[in-house]
Amino acid sequence: MLLDPEKTLFVRGATPVLLLADASASVHDALPVVTAPGPGAVPLCEGWSIVPKLTLCVVDGPGDVGGLIPAFAAPVIDGSTGGTNGTNGTEPADMADWCADAERAGGVVVLSLDHLSLSLPLPLPAALDWARLLASGTARGGFMPSLV
């Protein structure tokens, strides 16, 4: 299934993140509810994998569940600064750098935010509220290992 790149957000960092807003019901419902086991920890998304490439990102789930994202058209921000440069970690970034982050990390945290009101695409809120996203009870996903 083709996912709308304007309803995604690729966030750079030591462990890069892919946020999906309004993902198809089949993708969103198939992902596990995110229950972080501890501060800064995100569980492995069993049975899922990701292929992060510059032009196309593939999120592959069990059976026929998954999606393709035209990555070259998707927004990317640099969350790696954590706001230390005065921008709250929301400045635009490069997809090639996000892919390199994914390669170094061995995967990506994918979160489907189907029922949350996150304004995508840009402009973004002044800061992404990760605690709210992970504790909302409606976010689904987890860490997906990268396939190369």
Side-chain angles (χ1 to χ4, degrees), residues 35 109 128 134:
T35 52
V109 172
L128 295 173
L134 294 175

Side-chain angles (χ1 to χ4, degrees), residues 95-115:
M95 182 58 73
D97 293 332
W98 185 88
C99 291
D101 292 345
E103 185 176 332
R104 277 190 296 277
V108 173
V109 172
V110 176
L111 296 175
S112 177
L113 309 171
D114 193 44
H115 301 292

Side-chain angles (χ1 to χ4, degrees), residues 7-86:
K7 293 185 178 180
T8 65
L9 180 63
F10 292 77
V11 183
R12 289 202 58 215
T15 302
V17 177
L18 169 57
L19 299 176
L20 305 172
D22 296 324
S24 73
S26 63
V27 171
H28 182 78
D29 293 343
L31 288 165
V33 173
V34 175
T35 52
V42 176
L44 179 65
C45 201
E46 295 287 340
W48 291 78
S49 61
I50 190 165
V51 180
K53 297 293 181 185
L54 185 59
T55 58
L56 188 69
C57 184
V58 179
V59 176
D60 188 30
D64 293 336
V65 179
L68 304 169
I69 303 162
F72 62 87
V76 182
I77 63 169
D78 189 350
S80 64
T81 62
T84 58
N85 60 359

